[in-house]
Amino acid sequence: MIDDTTWRIAKENFPIGIRVCGAVKEKRPFGFFLDIPEAPGTVAVVDAISYLPHGSPVPPEEWPAPGDSIEAKVVAHAEHNRQIKLRVEPRESSAQE
């Protein structure tokens, strides 16, 4: 678990609602961990039910592989285990149709 100072700084630098980019570090049955370069030592996790690249959850075999870069939104700060909780959602199109 990270120390008090690192956790405080992580919450300040990554407030709820901000989008972050990182690389998948490790896949687990419940989701996967993301390595955020600007937050060394901070644990960031995308739970299985929060990986919604097409608007609904996808099976683990469709999750990104370790090393893949993704963008996610900070949705919570889990105080009990000092993790940044992330969600991946479909990107809004900026093009006018």
Side-chain angles (χ1 to χ4, degrees):
M1 189 177 302
I2 63 176
D3 62 76
D4 292 343
T5 301
T6 303
W7 179 235
R8 180 183 52 76
I9 292 169
K11 291 189 299 181
E12 290 172 1
N13 290 341
F14 300 97
I16 294 171
I18 195 170
R19 297 191 74 78
V20 298
C21 292
V24 175
K25 183 175 180 177
E26 179 182 1
K27 289 168 63 170
R28 303 295 296 233
F30 57 83
F32 53 90
F33 294 99
L34 207 62
D35 184 24
I36 303 172
E38 299 85 9
T42 302
V43 177
V45 66
V46 178
D47 293 314
I49 61 170
S50 294
Y51 186 65
L52 313 164
H54 309 293
S56 60
V58 298
E61 56 270 12
E62 293 181 29
W63 295 351
D68 287 352
S69 293
I70 65 167
E71 184 176 304
K73 182 167 74 172
V74 175
V75 293
H77 299 131
E79 294 292 338
H80 69 285
N81 57 5
R82 296 189 174 180
Q83 292 181 346
I84 296 175
K85 298 290 188 170
L86 304 170
R87 176 177 293 140
V88 174
E89 299 172 325
R91 295 287 295 167
E92 292 182 21
S93 175
S94 59
Q96 296 291 326
E97 307 216 23

